[in-house]
Amino acid sequence: LSVTDRATIANMAPEYGATLGYFPVDEKTIEYLVMTGREKQASLVEHYTKALGFFYDDSQDMEYTRMIEFDLGSVEPSIAGPARPQDRIALTDVKERSADIFQGPPENLDDEDTLLKENAAQIHNGSVVIAAITSCTNTSNPHVMVGAGLLARKAVEANIRVSPLVKTSLAPGSKVVPEYLKAAGLLPYLEKLGFHVAGFGCTTCIGNSGPLHPDVEKVVTEKGLTVAAVLSGNRNFEARVHQHVKANFLMSPPLVVAFALAGTMNIDFGKDPIAHTPEGLPVYLEDIWPDPEEIHEIVKKVVRLDLFARGYAHIFNGDAFWESLPASEGTTYDWDEKSTYIQNPPYFDNFSLDPGRPSDIHHARALLVLGDSVTTDHISPAGAIPEKYPAGQHLIEKGVTRDDFNTYGSRRGNHNVMMRGTFGNIRIKNNLTAPKEGSFTVKLPERDEMFVYDAAMAYEGDKTPLIVIGGKSYGTGSSRDWAAKGTRLLGIRAILAESFERIHRSNLVGMGVLPLVFKAGQGWSKLGLTGTELFSITGISDLEPRKVLGVTAEKSDGDVVAFDVIARLDTAVDVEYYVNGGILPYVLRKIAKYQK
């Protein structure tokens, strides 16, 4: 595999359940460093890894703990979606799966609902409305980028175009990409299909896709359509890409161009034409799919050292906007109380050098009762901030206009925004308010429905401890820190789930939130719990790794359900972090101790 192919695989590690995807250093690694203008680093890496025996050489007698036989002939083109990166769909099965994903076969709207009539364009369930060549990793792979460019050239030469209903964008992770696409003569063809360079870095896969065409958004919302986004990113969790796009599919850059041309997910590229020429002639994907040898020859010709040397020579200098930013000087940061982007977080409020002992939890309420596969995007969304949600209302109160909301991800330095956005995904499903979706819960015992944030603050006023109840694989996804930080800032002391994603479990412990798992075969539904009970958890005051704790759930009629849970403090260090209220106060106490 090329280094860029290895990087793509390694970058997807959180999605296939690994801590990392590792490839040893070898000759290709050194070649890549040299080709990208890092000769000194290449020499250092080569000498260092060879001296320590880390350098991979076919002549070595390698020993592995496990060998896997894998038939490369079984590999087939695939995409992933509509809401999880691990949900692989073979390209040949997309049309068949679309019938289920998009609520039956697509049907065009009536003539009066036709959009952009001058182009006779229509929209339906399964229509592609966003097509983005994006992702810091995948767009740094020259072979797939040149492949996308060649596909675009062949499409233009075949006289087919992308529908104006599809919002297209090209957002490479590196400024070198458009340079070698220009050198190959391919960028103009991508632009003719609408794939203009929109920026560099995180865009569509972090929720920065921007608005849809107003007519498209109007019809999608009024008709309740399930439409799709196709992107070459590696994150497609619910409501992450765009709040009005319910289905999001991950794929290679060339396939992004292909689905943009098709304008629908309801297509079998092996049988159906990708589009028709103005003369009505069918064009099939195989007619315009680039040849691998042609891609390889172009990559060898245009991906050159001088492009990387020139592109990265002044990368740390910043542009004129960066250089003109006013900045105060001092040993500590000068907090601006008026800032809506960066605020001093309250992690050390009421800090003392003595952590004391953690107390048992008595008469807690469930803030949310959730099902399986709740992701970190459900817990802490990264995309657009809804105007009517607490975070949006907070920004409005601070004088920020709707157009300047930006995203949760861009405001992650402001805890006032982020804690209001915790459990703020518009697609999250809380069983306390089912079937209603969104950031809502029921405040008990009054049974008042309100936003999750408002309920948490009300419970804090009542001095009521909080827990969250979940199902299997709680916290899957990108494992962003705010999924744990926001949980802690809402006053949630424990999460009861059937199982945890590993990194999110660790992050919860690091923020002083206790992760608890039901015993095998149990869960809130099987135990007959609804989340309206009063919960008490005992045994916390004397913790050890994997300790069994007792839980009682008192129903409104006086009945009590008693069961055991396992504290997922897996190591002695986990216990230390939790006892200290998280890793931040733990480290601060360590520093204070050594300074004495």
Side-chain angles (χ1 to χ4, degrees):
L1 291 174
S2 68
V3 170
T4 49
D5 285 341
R6 300 177 197 181
T8 300
I9 293 170
N11 197 37
M12 292 294 287
E15 277 60 55
Y16 53 74
T19 301
L20 56 82
Y22 176 79
F23 295 88
V25 175
D26 62 6
E27 289 292 345
K28 288 186 178 180
T29 311
I30 307 306
E31 291 171 5
Y32 179 81
L33 289 171
V34 172
M35 187 267 290
T36 54
R38 289 172 278 193
E39 293 89 348
K40 289 183 178 180
Q41 291 93 326
S43 177
L44 175 63
V45 168
E46 183 174 9
H47 284 88
Y48 178 81
T49 53
K50 284 183 176 179
L52 295 182
F54 292 162
F55 194 89
Y56 179 79
D57 186 340
D58 285 335
S59 66
Q60 295 174 337
D61 185 16
M62 307 300 294
E63 292 185 16
Y64 298 96
T65 54
R66 185 158 60 116
M67 298 288 290
I68 299 173
E69 291 189 7
F70 183 70
D71 180 8
L72 292 175
S74 66
V75 178
E76 57 183 329
S78 303
I79 66 174
R84 299 192 307 172
Q86 64 264 42
D87 291 337
R88 187 180 69 86
I89 304 174
L91 197 59
T92 53
D93 296 337
V94 170
K95 187 171 184 177
E96 182 180 342
R97 290 288 305 277
S98 290
D100 297 325
I101 294 171
F102 297 104
Q103 305 167 2
E107 295 179 1
N108 283 335
L109 301 179
D110 297 334
D111 289 341
E112 63 265 25
D113 293 316
T114 299
L115 301 175
L116 308 179
K117 287 186 171 60
E118 67 274 15
N119 296 287
Q122 292 183 313
I123 188 169
H124 49 69
N125 282 323
S127 285
V128 174
V129 297
I130 293 176
I133 300 175
T134 180
S135 167
C136 50
T137 304
N138 298 333
T139 58
S140 294
N141 188 330
H143 287 83
V144 294
M145 295 304 293
V146 168
L150 282 173
L151 184 65
R153 187 183 74 185
K154 293 174 186 292
V156 171
E157 291 171 348
N159 205 18
I160 58 175
R161 298 291 188 273
V162 174
S163 163
L165 294 179
V166 184
K167 180 166 190 172
T168 47
S169 63
L170 169 59
S174 167
K175 290 185 177 182
V176 174
V177 175
E179 294 303 316
Y180 66 64
L181 288 175
K182 286 178 187 176
L186 298 176
L187 190 59
Y189 294 101
L190 285 164
E191 292 175 341
K192 284 186 179 181
L193 296 185
F195 290 97
H196 295 265
V197 175
F200 299 91
C202 294
T203 55
T204 301
C205 48
I206 197 66
N208 293 328
S209 61
L212 299 175
H213 188 288
D215 290 341
V216 172
E217 189 162 320
K218 179 181 178 183
V219 171
V220 169
T221 54
E222 289 183 355
K223 300 293 181 180
L225 298 177
T226 302
V227 292
V230 295
L231 59 151
S232 59
N234 48 21
R235 308 285 189 267
N236 62 336
F237 306 116
E238 285 188 306
R240 181 179 177 110
V241 172
H242 193 285
Q243 294 186 348
H244 296 302
V245 180
K246 295 180 181 178
N248 306 286
F249 296 91
L250 309 178
M251 57 191 67
S252 67
L255 280 179
V256 170
V257 177
F259 276 100
L261 289 163
T264 181
M265 300 303 297
N266 186 53
I267 187 171
D268 182 345
F269 284 131
K271 300 177 181 177
D272 303 329
I274 191 172
H276 289 82
T277 67
E279 297 76 27
L281 299 176
V283 178
Y284 293 86
L285 183 59
E286 66 178 357
D287 299 332
I288 60 175
W289 191 261
D291 181 81
E293 283 301 317
E294 185 179 11
I295 295 174
H296 184 67
E297 288 303 315
I298 292 176
V299 169
K300 282 203 308 183
K301 180 180 178 181
V302 303
V303 182
R304 307 185 310 269
L305 170 61
D306 62 293
L307 294 180
F308 289 91
R310 186 168 64 249
Y312 288 94
H314 306 289
I315 191 171
F316 294 112
N317 295 345
D319 59 13
F321 295 103
W322 175 261
E323 292 293 337
S324 64
L325 283 175
S328 58
E329 296 183 2
T331 56
T332 58
Y333 184 75
D334 185 16
W335 299 99
D336 180 1
E337 293 184 2
K338 296 179 181 178
S339 174
T340 57
Y341 279 96
I342 302 177
Q343 285 293 316
N344 188 7
Y347 303 131
F348 296 112
D349 288 359
N350 303 315
F351 176 82
S352 67
L353 291 177
D354 181 11
R357 298 177 67 180
S359 61
D360 291 345
I361 299 173
H362 297 289
H363 296 142
R365 290 291 187 182
L367 188 60
L368 300 99
V369 179
L370 305 167
D372 297 338
S373 297
V374 170
T375 70
T376 49
D377 267 78
H378 288 119
I379 304 168
S380 181
I385 301 173
E387 182 177 358
K388 295 182 179 179
Y389 271 36
Q393 291 298 301
H394 172 76
L395 290 174
I396 289 173
E397 291 172 5
K398 296 295 181 181
V400 180
T401 64
R402 177 69 186 86
D403 290 343
D404 292 330
F405 273 11
N406 216 320
T407 62
Y408 284 113
S410 68
R411 294 188 180 273
R412 58 181 174 260
N414 186 345
H415 65 281
N416 291 311
V417 173
M418 297 304 291
M419 63 188 292
R420 285 169 171 80
T422 303
F423 297 103
N425 191 302
I426 64 169
R427 300 274 178 255
I428 194 168
K429 300 171 182 64
N430 180 6
N431 281 271
L432 290 173
T433 54
K436 186 174 184 177
E437 292 183 347
S439 185
F440 303 98
T441 193
V442 173
K443 167 69 169 59
L444 298 168
E446 302 88 345
R447 294 185 177 271
D448 293 334
E449 183 177 293
M450 59 182 69
F451 285 113
V452 169
Y453 170 79
D454 293 335
M457 296 302 100
Y459 280 125
E460 182 180 59
D462 297 342
K463 300 190 182 313
T464 301
L466 295 175
I467 63 171
V468 168
I469 303 175
K472 298 182 180 69
S473 302
Y474 182 89
T476 60
S478 301
S479 301
R480 289 186 310 279
D481 57 343
W482 266 108
K485 289 177 180 176
T487 297
R488 172 62 184 267
L489 292 179
L490 288 186
I492 296 165
R493 293 189 57 185
I495 310 290
L496 278 69
E498 293 182 54
S499 63
F500 286 90
E501 190 275 336
R502 294 179 304 148
I503 305 173
H504 184 59
R505 181 210 66 83
S506 178
N507 286 350
L508 288 172
V509 175
M511 288 308 301
V513 179
L514 184 60
L516 305 171
V517 292
F518 294 98
K519 288 201 167 181
Q522 292 185 342
W524 62 265
S525 180
K526 291 181 180 179
L527 289 168
L529 304 176
T530 64
T532 59
E533 300 85 359
L534 281 169
F535 293 87
S536 296
I537 306 170
T538 57
I540 297 176
S541 58
D542 186 20
L543 284 169
E544 59 187 33
R546 295 268 185 164
K547 183 179 181 181
V548 176
L549 305 179
V551 181
T552 58
E554 182 181 344
K555 297 180 178 290
S556 58
D557 61 7
D559 286 349
V560 175
V561 178
F563 56 97
D564 290 336
V565 293
I566 302 168
R568 283 299 310 275
L569 303 175
D570 294 349
T571 65
V573 173
D574 280 349
V575 174
E576 282 286 316
Y577 288 163
Y578 178 75
V579 168
N580 276 271
I583 192 170
L584 296 177
Y586 170 84
V587 170
L588 189 57
R589 291 186 180 106
K590 283 285 186 183
I591 293 172
K593 178 181 178 182
Y594 290 133
Q595 285 182 340
K596 285 184 178 181

